[in-house]
RNA sequence: GCCGUUGUAGCUCAGUGGUAGAGCACUUCAUUGGUAAUGAAGAGGUCGGCAGUUCAAUUCUGCUCAACGGCUCCA
């Protein structure tokens, strides 16, 4: 009996029943067959060797398809497990999935010593096994058989996983001497794996629960070609060069001190300039958008956070209250600015005519983060939010929300972040105990976000369980140099805090109403934003942000006087930079300025002094000719404006 | 917080059971130079901290602090 197979180009071919993806590929071309890793059958990824029994739509997956890569890496995880089992008999296996870049397997080494020194040995074993061209076999087993197998093998983790599986849908995959409980799919055989590299090890709790045993997670990556592994490793090196912790040190943006405490960044002069420019930029944009700046203290009475609900939620995992010596009053370092802003709202009766009231503050907050979580500037214990709270009428929520989206996107585009993910963060579907407020209010808030993003025509992803405890959010995420995702901007709709703080306004009918709050921070925090921006531009900041914009480099001591004149004129135009009066040759001064990523160098010597010009050199471009200083200043200002123009 | 790795000069890193080295940076001197490193000399470290083993510890052991890679967490 024949079945009809529809291919992605729309063509329909007939094959005998039980045809496999691999056979279909072979019927098209041998070259294709050599590349096929898996097959997407009616939208589901299958083994390329699995028989297809009825009419189906089939897409053949290769290394160029994300699902093809995932299958490849998943199979690589099995291969690694096989190699590890061969080298360390008696180990227990957790889970071993493919991830965004590679794969991992969680291993209980059951008494064996394992360290990264053994990586090469494991890699060699994997390649040895790969060359055996062992097919991955899919085996359907009953639950009983499956339990018997792992009970005999003595693998408690697999037995635990089996508990949650239904009889009848359990499959094993077997290659060489290795059998694993696995849903699949897998690549046809191990010989596709031509290059492997183990990357690092890490502890990981069994099933992600910190009450469970910690297993050793081994990360690795593999490729169908040796060359691709090399390219990948070059890419990783490049990413490391962009790491904001490294660049931050080199460019003297920030530092940490053990004596000050972990997670408490010290901003150095150049970093402070960067921060300040970002603040000024946003303040200006916010002024235009109708925000008003406020300032509030760094601590607040514990009572404030009891009211807001933050104390009940986070009190135990926060910095503990400060006690006054005499009255024994309790104060908390402020972990967020909203309660303070609520009190500003309450400072006088409000009319509907005043709304929306938009209160903005670069507010420094302190949160106790677990020590193992701290990471450069992206995860710290003291940081400054570009915070604002919009108090508005319920009928204004959507419009205000959309305006905030515009502001966030304006900020992103001005700073060159084209790639970001807008994530709608909603409540956990099952566990509602983590949240305050009624279902009705939550639904209103969630609806407002969904509608606003739809009306803006934004591409969004929805994540459940990612909401704040008082309301849903729209989060903007970007990736760092090493591919880790970080949340930058956030916009949150909140019906709950106005309740808790009993915020009110008088409506046109002279009745009291409750306003709605929108929390928002386009940068998120200055710290994290600077970190991600640093990596984004590899320390080569746009001209308007560069902490050192122009270096004045006299050829020799004889021209110091003229150079000083030039430098002070630059200062009068608010151009930042330095004058290099060191007793060094010009080549050296240029090199040092290049290394410091200074965008412009003005070289002055005999010729410039006599003609009253400056020789302009642009970083990365070289000499761009001589001109009178005033000409350079206007050229420079043009370039600053260009560097700020929102990219399309 | 948990698992693993690391900690030597301002930075990047060698090294050893007998109290330490390089390059760059820094200081001084010579040099007055034209688009990515001029030369010489000097100074700089209680080898993360505390304890223990030892005749002797930077080196071995324990604890502790911090950083790094993950896990968990993230108002």
């Amino acid at each position: 009996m024949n079945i009809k197979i529809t291919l992605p180009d729309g063509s329909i071919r007939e094959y005998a029943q039980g045809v496999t993806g691999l056979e279909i590929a072979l019927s098209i071309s041998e070259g294709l067959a050599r590349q096929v890793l898996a097959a997407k059958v009616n939208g589901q990824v299958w083994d390329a060797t699995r028989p297809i029994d009825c009419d189906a739509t089939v897409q053949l997956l290769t290394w160029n398809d994300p699902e093809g890569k995932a299958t490849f890496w998943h199979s690589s995880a099995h291969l690694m497990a096989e190699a590890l089992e061969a080298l360390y008999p008696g180990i227990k296996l957790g889970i071993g999935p493919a991830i965004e870049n590679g794969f991992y397997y969680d291993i209980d080494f059951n008494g064996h010593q394992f360290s990264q020194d053994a990586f090469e040995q494991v890699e060699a074993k994997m390649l040895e096994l790969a060359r055996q061209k062992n097919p991955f076999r899919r085996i359907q087993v009953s639950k009983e058989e499956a339990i018997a197998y792992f009970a005999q093998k003595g693998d408690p983790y697999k037995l635990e996983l089996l508990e949650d599986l239904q009889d009848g849908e359990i499959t094993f995959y077997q290659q060489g001497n290795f059998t694993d409980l696995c849903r699949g799919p897998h690549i046809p055989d191990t010989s596709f794996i031509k290059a492997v590299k183990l990357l690092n090890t890490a502890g990981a709790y069994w099933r992600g629960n910190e009450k469970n045993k910690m297993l050793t997670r081994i990360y690795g990556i593999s490729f169908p070609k040796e060359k691709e592994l090399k390219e990948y490793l070059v890419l990783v090196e490049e990413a490391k060069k962009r790491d904001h912790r490294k660049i931050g040190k080199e460019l003297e943006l920030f530092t940490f001190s053990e004596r000050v405490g972990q997670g408490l960044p010290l901003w150095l002069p150049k970093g402070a300039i960067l921060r300040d420019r970002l603040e000024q930029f946003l303040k200006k944009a916010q002024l235009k958008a109708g925000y008003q700046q406020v300032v509030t203290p760094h601590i607040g009475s514990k009572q404030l956070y009891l009211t807001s609900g933050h104390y009940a939620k986070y009190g135990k995992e926060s910095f503990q209250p400060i006690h006054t010596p005499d009255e024994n009053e309790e104060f908390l370092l402020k972990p967020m600015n909203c309660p303070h802003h609520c009190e500003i709202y309450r400072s006088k009766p409000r009319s509907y005519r005043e709304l929306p009231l938009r209160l903005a503050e670069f507010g420094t907050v302190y949160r106790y983060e677990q020590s193992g979580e701290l990471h450069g500037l992206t995860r710290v214990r003291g940081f400054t939010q570009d915070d604002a709270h919009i108090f508005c009428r319920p009928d204004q929520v959507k419009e205000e929300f959309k305006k905030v989206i515009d502001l966030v996107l304006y900020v992103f585009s001005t700073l060159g972040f084209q790639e970001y993910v807008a994530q709608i963060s909603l409540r956990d579907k099952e566990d509602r105990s983590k949240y305050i407020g009624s279902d009705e209010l939550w639904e209103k808030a969630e609806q407002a976000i969904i509608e606003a993003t739809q009306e803006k025509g934004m591409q969004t992803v929805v994540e459940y369980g990612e909401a704040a405890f008082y309301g849903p959010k729209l989060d903007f995420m970007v990736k760092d140099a090493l591919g880790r995702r970080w949340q930058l901007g956030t916009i949150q709709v909140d019906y709950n805090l106005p309740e808790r703080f009993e915020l009110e306004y008088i409506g046109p009918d002279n009745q009291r109403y409750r306003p709605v709050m929108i929390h928002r921070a386009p940068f998120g925090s200055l710290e994290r934003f600077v970190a991600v921006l640093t990596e984004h531009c590899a320390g080569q900041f746009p001209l308007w942000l560069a902490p050192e914009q122009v270096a004045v480099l006299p050829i020799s001591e004889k021209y110091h006087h003229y150079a000083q004149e030039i430098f002070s004129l630059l200062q009068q135009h608010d151009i930042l930079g330095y004058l290099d009066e060191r007793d060094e040759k010009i080549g050296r001064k240029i090199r040092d300025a290049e290394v410091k990523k200074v965008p412009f160098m003005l070289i002055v010597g005999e010729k410039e002094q006599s003609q009253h010009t400056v020789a302009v050199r642009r970083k990365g471009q070289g000499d761009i000719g001589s001109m009178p200083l005033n000409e350079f200043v206007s050229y420079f200002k043009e370039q600053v404006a260009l560097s700020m123009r929102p990219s399309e």
Side-chain angles (χ1 to χ4, degrees):
Chain A
M1 201 178 108
N2 280 354
I3 54 171
K4 289 197 179 77
I5 300 295
T6 309
L7 295 169
D9 64 1
S11 66
I12 297 172
R13 294 177 176 224
E14 279 202 23
Y15 293 92
Q17 191 182 32
V19 70
T20 66
L22 208 52
E23 286 159 359
I24 295 172
L26 206 56
S27 76
I28 298 170
S29 89
E30 237 176 84
L32 179 62
R34 275 198 297 273
Q35 290 181 38
V36 167
L37 301 173
K40 203 176 199 173
V41 179
N42 292 332
Q44 274 197 326
V45 184
W46 279 22
D47 305 308
T49 53
R50 185 167 164 187
I52 301 165
D53 288 328
C54 51
D55 293 354
T57 304
V58 172
Q59 184 193 351
L60 299 167
L61 299 170
T62 69
W63 181 250
N64 296 322
D65 301 292
E67 292 115 324
K69 276 199 178 75
T71 306
F72 187 88
W73 283 330
H74 184 189
S75 298
S76 303
H78 279 228
L79 183 66
M80 181 169 76
E82 184 184 2
L84 288 167
E85 227 174 43
L87 296 167
Y88 304 91
I91 57 171
K92 316 287 181 203
L93 302 174
I95 56 164
I99 52 175
E100 209 174 329
N101 281 304
F103 57 89
Y104 68 78
Y105 217 117
D106 285 347
I107 311 280
D108 179 347
F109 273 92
N110 198 19
H112 286 287
Q113 286 295 315
F114 183 81
S115 80
Q116 305 206 358
D117 301 338
F119 276 5
E120 277 188 41
Q121 196 193 355
V122 178
E123 287 162 9
K125 187 77 189 172
M126 285 173 74
L127 290 175
E128 178 196 321
L129 293 167
R131 277 193 295 270
Q132 292 175 3
K133 201 172 179 176
N134 295 321
F136 282 87
R137 292 208 176 81
R138 182 172 191 271
I139 307 163
Q140 289 233 346
V141 290
S142 69
K143 189 160 181 173
E144 204 179 327
E145 288 171 298
I147 292 173
Y149 176 81
F150 284 108
Q152 181 263 326
K153 195 182 173 195
D155 203 324
Y157 305 106
K158 297 295 178 187
L159 287 170
E160 197 182 320
L161 290 175
L162 275 167
E163 282 173 22
D164 297 339
L165 295 177
Q166 291 290 319
D167 197 4
E169 53 185 43
I170 296 171
T171 51
F172 279 5
Y173 273 84
Q174 183 248 323
Q175 98 270 7
N177 289 317
F178 179 75
T179 302
D180 202 358
L181 169 68
C182 182
R183 187 185 303 129
H186 283 280
I187 59 179
D189 70 68
T190 57
S191 73
F192 285 79
I193 301 168
K194 293 283 200 304
V196 297
K197 179 94 184 154
L198 302 195
L199 299 171
N200 55 340
T201 58
Y205 300 111
W206 168 238
R207 304 194 120 180
N209 186 332
E210 59 184 321
K211 292 192 180 72
N212 289 341
K213 179 161 182 178
M214 177 146 321
L215 307 179
T216 305
R217 176 168 297 178
I218 305 176
Y219 287 89
I221 194 160
S222 58
F223 296 92
K225 285 186 193 142
E226 180 68 32
K227 190 173 137 238
E228 283 167 336
L229 172 61
K230 287 205 177 110
E231 284 166 3
Y232 171 78
L233 293 175
V234 168
L235 213 70
V236 169
E237 283 310 305
E238 281 303 311
K240 280 186 187 158
K241 283 184 200 157
R242 284 173 171 252
D243 192 313
H244 77 276
R245 291 167 298 185
K246 181 174 147 69
I247 292 178
K249 193 179 268 180
E250 287 165 358
L251 298 186
E252 298 182 349
L253 301 178
F254 60 90
T255 189
F256 290 90
S257 151
E258 278 187 37
R259 274 203 273 227
V260 172
Q262 53 175 170
L264 300 170
L266 304 174
W267 288 84
L268 302 173
K270 287 178 205 166
I273 289 173
L274 200 54
R275 255 180 84 117
D276 186 55
R277 299 222 154 176
L278 287 169
E279 282 187 25
Q280 295 307 328
F281 159 70
L282 187 58
K283 270 186 187 169
K284 212 169 139 189
Q286 285 180 171
L287 193 69
K288 277 190 199 157
Y291 288 77
Q292 295 171 282
Q293 288 290 135
V294 297
V295 177
T296 66
H298 286 224
I299 64 173
S301 160
K302 179 176 161 186
Q303 190 55 47
L304 186 66
Y305 302 99
L306 286 170
T307 304
S308 71
H310 288 99
Y311 192 82
K313 180 87 180 162
Y314 295 104
K316 285 202 191 75
E317 311 109 68
S318 295
F319 286 119
Q320 292 307 294
I322 302 160
H323 297 260
T324 56
D326 293 332
E327 306 84 349
N328 201 29
E329 286 176 288
E330 295 184 286
F331 291 88
L332 287 170
L333 279 167
K334 78 174 168 187
M336 80 296 299
N337 304 298
C338 27
H340 286 79
H341 290 184
C342 284
E343 289 304 305
I344 290 180
Y345 182 93
R346 280 164 56 88
S347 64
K348 67 171 189 180
R350 302 287 178 178
S351 149
Y352 73 98
R353 295 174 191 277
E354 287 179 76
L355 304 183
L357 182 70
R358 307 179 187 92
L359 302 179
E361 172 174 19
F362 286 91
T364 304
V365 297
Y366 301 88
R367 296 179 183 175
Y368 175 79
E369 304 286 0
Q370 295 184 23
S371 59
E373 261 316 320
L374 302 172
H375 182 96
L377 283 185
T378 51
R379 196 75 187 271
V380 287
R381 286 178 171 169
F383 57 95
T384 303
Q385 295 179 312
D386 55 328
D387 210 356
H389 296 95
I390 299 168
F391 300 86
C392 63
R393 304 191 308 260
D395 62 289
Q396 294 170 321
V397 171
K398 207 199 289 176
E399 200 49 42
E400 282 303 305
F401 200 94
K402 289 202 275 190
K403 280 187 193 166
V404 177
I405 291 176
D406 288 337
L407 182 67
V408 172
L409 295 184
Y410 167 68
V411 167
F412 276 31
S413 67
T414 303
L415 286 144
F417 287 107
Q418 261 84 301
E419 280 185 54
Y420 61 87
V421 176
Q423 171 183 304
I424 299 178
S425 302
L426 304 178
R427 277 176 300 177
D428 196 312
K429 276 178 167 167
E430 275 110 55
D431 184 7
R432 294 268 153 107
S433 66
K434 298 189 275 190
Y435 308 100
I436 59 171
S438 70
D439 275 354
E440 188 200 345
L441 294 182
W442 269 87
E443 265 147 40
K444 265 163 77 177
E446 293 180 352
Q447 211 46 44
I449 294 182
I450 291 165
E451 281 172 26
T453 53
Q454 277 171 356
E455 286 169 33
K456 279 274 151 209
M458 292 174 75
Q459 284 229 330
T460 54
V461 296
V462 175
E463 286 290 334
Y464 292 91
E466 293 294 313
F469 76 96
Y470 50 74
K473 314 188 280 181
L474 180 64
D475 291 325
F476 294 82
M477 340 272 291
V478 298
K479 274 194 210 170
D480 78 0
L482 298 172
R484 291 171 289 216
R485 274 180 214 285
W486 296 100
Q487 182 193 313
L488 289 180
T490 181
I491 319 175
Q492 310 171 2
V493 179
D494 180 5
Y495 286 83
N496 286 307
L497 285 189
E499 292 264 353
R500 291 186 160 254
F501 279 89
E502 298 177 311
L503 305 183
E504 292 176 337
Y505 65 90
I506 308 295
D509 54 359
N510 206 24
Q511 298 294 304
R512 288 159 190 267
Y513 293 95
R514 186 127 291 162
V516 184
M517 261 173 100
I518 296 173
H519 308 240
R520 44 106 282 173
F523 293 143
S525 87
L526 266 313
E527 282 72 11
R528 182 174 289 178
F529 194 84
V530 167
V532 176
L533 179 65
T534 302
E535 302 196 350
H536 184 67
C537 63
Q540 185 68 66
F541 296 104
L543 187 56
W544 69 279
L545 279 174
E548 289 177 318
Q549 298 169 311
V550 179
V552 180
L553 312 178
I555 296 280
S556 83
E557 203 181 338
K558 288 190 276 186
Y559 314 106
H560 279 189
H561 184 74
Y562 179 60
Q564 282 160 9
E565 205 178 300
I566 297 289
F567 185 62
S568 70
L569 284 166
L570 292 176
Q571 285 180 313
Q572 284 171 30
H573 285 280
D574 293 324
I575 296 172
L576 296 174
Y578 66 93
L579 171 58
D580 192 345
E581 291 188 304
R582 288 177 308 162
D583 185 8
E584 294 290 352
K585 296 215 245 179
I586 193 65
R588 177 51 179 278
K589 294 182 184 180
I590 288 170
R591 182 191 141 75
D592 288 345
E594 289 275 349
V595 168
K596 283 165 39 170
K597 304 189 196 295
V598 182
F600 283 103
M601 284 155 253
L602 300 184
I603 292 145
V604 292
E606 178 61 40
K607 214 173 92 205
E608 290 74 23
Q609 186 174 45
S610 61
Q611 298 177 352
H612 233 78
T613 56
V614 291
V616 182
R617 181 190 161 100
R618 180 127 204 198
K619 180 189 159 18
Q621 253 172 270
D623 195 351
I624 58 172
S626 291
M627 56 185 86
L629 185 71
N630 56 2
E631 201 176 296
F632 170 72
V633 169
S634 43
Y635 171 71
F636 178 87
K637 290 192 168 164
E638 257 169 50
Q639 294 297 310
V640 167
L642 267 176
S643 77
M644 282 200 79
R645 197 161 63 185
S647 41
E648 293 311 316

